[in-house]
Amino acid sequence: VVNVTNGKLMRLLVDDEPFDVRYGELHHHERELDMRSGLLLRSVRWSSPAGRTINISSVRMVSFTQRSIAAISYEIEPVNDTVRVVVQSELVANEDIPTASKDPRTAAILKSPLECEESTSNGSTLGIMVHHTRSSNLRMASAMDHQIEGPDEMVISSDSYPDVVRTTISARLQPGQRLRIVKLISYGWSSTRSRPALHDQVIAALSAATLTGWDRLLEEQRAYLDN
């Protein structure tokens, strides 16, 4: 099974130190799969090796009502010091996946099974990728866009490569200030439709999800599961 483009990647650096629970000090970590609301929630309080303490919270969902949409809300708040934070939000294809050494399927894993047809960004919050599988020519498109709330002074940029599209958000946060990023991700695939058609499909899905908004996506998810 070939992995689709990974859209859930959110990398965080705090004063140039990457957020990694294996380093620094982990004060609190909780992850919850809420089957009633259809959400995966995570909350963390972490101190970097340099002693900068931050709170991080994230909420992930794969929409049951807008079936091509996944969404993430990601929030960062410093606890006791002003910090410089950088968030890298990515779409990644042909990602290296660690495998168990005793897994008998390991020998069958294909190297870079997706070939890039398009990888573009608009220079700020939007990115698009279209790939196809080498043998079967199944075509898959993915796109992401971001809604960002934070201090007045932020730097937002994006760049694209054949297997990576990245949006980077940089900000300086004081205690009590918060950076919140809502990431919308859309997917589409076809064995017959053209690259422009799939490109337009994922852009349209993003537009519909943007119109719906984060709060209404949550409401639709809960109503679906209630039914």
Side-chain angles (χ1 to χ4, degrees), residues 63-80:
S63 177
F64 286 120
T65 57
Q66 300 188 34
R67 295 301 293 259
S68 58
I69 293 295
I72 302 170
S73 174
Y74 192 83
E75 297 186 10
I76 308 152
E77 182 179 357
V79 174
N80 48 17

Side-chain angles (χ1 to χ4, degrees), residues 123-137:
S124 57
T125 62
L126 178 68
I128 307 162
M129 302 179 80
V130 183
H131 286 75
H132 67 264
T133 53
R134 294 182 185 276
S135 299
S136 58
N137 276 324

Side-chain angles (χ1 to χ4, degrees), residues 75-224:
E75 297 186 10
I76 308 152
E77 182 179 357
V79 174
N80 48 17
D81 295 294
T82 299
V83 297
R84 185 179 63 256
V85 298
V86 178
V87 178
Q88 296 173 318
S89 173
E90 297 179 334
L91 292 173
V92 178
N94 291 320
E95 187 178 19
D96 289 332
I97 304 295
T99 58
S101 59
K102 294 182 180 179
D103 190 332
R105 299 168 298 175
T106 299
I109 291 177
L110 303 175
K111 182 66 176 176
S112 299
L114 300 174
E115 289 191 336
C116 182
E117 295 185 22
E118 178 182 356
S119 180
T120 58
S121 68
N122 68 346
S124 57
T125 62
L126 178 68
I128 307 162
M129 302 179 80
V130 183
H131 286 75
H132 67 264
T133 53
R134 294 182 185 276
S135 299
S136 58
N137 276 324
L138 288 173
R139 182 174 278 120
M140 190 206 57
S142 58
M144 66 177 181
D145 204 355
H146 303 79
Q147 299 159 3
I148 303 166
E149 301 172 12
D152 292 336
E153 294 186 9
M154 290 189 291
V155 175
I156 303 170
S157 61
S158 65
D159 51 291
S160 60
Y161 307 93
D163 286 338
V164 180
V165 173
R166 180 186 301 111
T167 291
T168 303
I169 304 105
S170 303
R172 187 180 297 275
L173 299 176
Q174 300 176 2
Q177 284 187 315
R178 181 175 299 181
L179 175 63
R180 180 173 187 244
I181 303 166
V182 173
K183 179 179 185 178
L184 300 173
I185 311 135
S186 62
Y187 290 94
W189 73 274
S190 177
S191 59
T192 57
R193 301 176 65 216
S194 67
R195 181 197 59 77
L198 276 182
H199 172 115
D200 293 347
Q201 177 183 331
V202 293
I203 291 297
L206 275 185
S207 180
T210 301
L211 175 64
T212 304
W214 172 257
D215 291 337
R216 284 175 59 193
L217 280 172
L218 299 189
E219 292 170 4
E220 289 179 0
Q221 189 86 333
R222 179 59 187 253
Y224 178 94

